[in-house]
Amino acid sequence: MADLTIADPDGDRHLSGFIWYPTEATGPLSFDLESVVWESSQVIKDGDPAKGRFPLVVLSHGMYGNAYNQAWFANALARRGYVVAAVNHPGTSTWSRDPEVTRQLWERPKDISRVIDHATATPELAMMVDPARVFMAGHSLGGFTAIALAGARYDAARLNLVCAEMPDELTCNILSNWKVAQTDEDRVRMEADLSDPRISAFVVFDLGGTQSFSDTSLARIDRPLLIYGAPIMNSGLTLDIESRALRSAVAPGIARYVEPETLSHFDFLGRCKPGGYEILQKEEPGDEIICANGGARRAAKHEKIIEEAGSFFDDAKP
């Protein structure tokens, strides 16, 4: 594991995060994260990369999440022979919530494209990345980001109609509060083609925002999708108009849909330490829900997701 920094030469949207990769080194071992709430994994920081070029997986975190959120997944994929990169999306991450930046939601897919640019052009990374084998996974708002990169097009008019019928829907409230696509200029940017043809396949973890995409563009997605729906709807997302709707909107044969009956939206975050729930309950009342059943039960779900998603990427290699 190593730190990842990508400067913005044209502005101030600098990206920071982490990259995980195979190594033949055996030490020194350290923990990827120090936290009283979250379980850590052992990694070799800044170890020499293993010889050869490996497939690249880029991760996109959810609303107000961060590049650590799917470290459990990144670590496992690196052990399977993948290079994995994750960055903090400015404006919608744990430490960056400036409303002016949050509004620019069209930048999220561009962040992912910039990560791919960086990984395939920077000499020390390009030597271990196979540019012909690039994949992506995203959770929640990161799933929205993934679907935009797969070719779905934002449709402000459609979303307005949906939200007129369901004004209390979570996605409607969030995008309205963020003032997404509320000016003509912003609408043009949001409705632009934000796809990246370099990405061969996508894993989508319980996305939000399906109703903001046009049906026509969803039906035109032609790259493989592995879609996870979480029937324990403790996040406020409505499965029938999100993951299930995405499965129905794409063309036959494009998507594989998985909906384990005990899966919740927050099971795609890391494992919580014993006492993590109580710490959040005291320090951040309301946030403790992200650690509900977040220990051994979540770890078992992670193992299954790792095997399913890892095999999906293995099978999708060009």
Side-chain angles (χ1 to χ4, degrees):
M1 178 185 179
D3 290 339
L4 178 64
T5 303
I6 304 173
D8 180 2
D10 301 317
D12 57 5
R13 196 177 177 89
H14 309 299
L15 303 177
S16 64
F18 308 98
I19 189 162
W20 295 259
Y21 53 90
T23 180
E24 295 176 4
T26 57
L29 291 171
S30 61
F31 289 105
D32 59 354
L33 172 66
E34 293 184 6
S35 171
V36 296
V37 172
W38 303 104
E39 292 281 3
S40 303
S41 296
Q42 286 189 317
V43 296
I44 299 170
K45 292 187 176 179
D46 301 313
D48 291 334
K51 294 181 180 178
R53 287 187 167 185
F54 304 95
L56 171 68
V57 177
V58 185
L59 305 180
S60 180
H61 64 73
M63 181 181 72
Y64 299 146
N66 60 73
Y68 275 123
N69 285 170
Q70 281 76 50
W72 59 272
F73 188 54
N75 275 308
L77 288 180
R79 290 185 172 90
R80 291 178 71 109
Y82 288 81
V83 174
V84 186
V87 293
N88 303 303
H89 291 286
T92 54
S93 71
T94 304
W95 306 286
S96 173
R97 305 186 184 189
D98 182 339
E100 182 64 19
V101 182
T102 305
R103 190 194 88 249
Q104 300 171 31
L105 207 56
W106 61 83
E107 293 289 352
R108 259 185 159 257
K110 293 181 181 181
D111 291 343
I112 300 300
S113 292
R114 287 174 58 200
V115 173
I116 298 171
D117 292 343
H118 183 80
T120 55
T122 306
E124 61 268 26
L125 298 181
M127 65 181 289
M128 60 180 174
V129 169
D130 182 351
R133 296 183 291 170
V134 178
F135 309 106
M136 182 185 175
H139 173 230
S140 194
L141 187 59
F144 167 96
T145 306
I147 294 303
L149 284 154
R153 301 284 289 269
Y154 193 88
D155 186 337
R158 185 206 179 188
L159 182 64
N160 288 339
L161 291 174
V162 170
C163 293
E165 295 181 2
M166 298 181 290
D168 295 329
E169 189 59 38
L170 178 65
T171 298
C172 295
N173 288 327
I174 289 172
L175 296 181
S176 175
N177 290 339
W178 286 356
K179 302 187 185 305
V180 173
Q182 291 189 7
T183 68
D184 290 342
E185 183 178 15
D186 283 2
R187 193 172 302 114
V188 169
R189 289 173 171 170
M190 277 301 302
E191 294 183 340
D193 180 2
L194 300 172
S195 64
D196 193 322
R198 295 173 294 182
I199 306 173
S200 299
F202 301 81
V203 175
V204 182
F205 295 143
D206 204 38
L207 86 160
T210 301
Q211 302 302 316
S212 68
F213 296 115
S214 73
D215 283 329
T216 300
S217 67
L218 290 171
R220 287 177 179 167
I221 292 175
D222 60 1
R223 284 169 278 176
L225 304 176
L226 175 58
I227 304 169
Y228 281 86
I232 298 178
M233 294 182 285
N234 54 2
S235 68
L237 293 174
T238 303
L239 199 54
D240 283 340
I241 64 170
E242 295 293 0
S243 297
R244 291 173 183 164
L246 176 60
R247 171 193 56 186
S248 300
V250 298
I254 292 298
R256 179 189 169 202
Y257 184 72
V258 182
E259 190 183 302
E261 64 180 7
T262 62
L263 192 66
S264 81
H265 185 77
F266 300 111
D267 282 332
F268 298 103
L269 301 182
R271 298 181 302 279
C272 297
K273 289 181 176 179
Y277 183 96
E278 290 75 17
I279 290 171
L280 289 176
Q281 192 175 44
K282 179 181 179 180
E283 301 294 336
E284 299 289 344
D287 283 0
E288 67 272 9
I289 193 172
I290 66 178
C291 277
N293 295 317
R297 292 184 186 181
R298 182 172 293 175
K301 296 172 192 177
H302 282 182
E303 290 304 314
K304 187 172 182 180
I305 292 167
I306 288 164
E307 183 54 39
E308 289 172 340
S311 295
F312 172 76
F313 285 142
D314 290 345
D315 293 342
K317 291 175 183 176

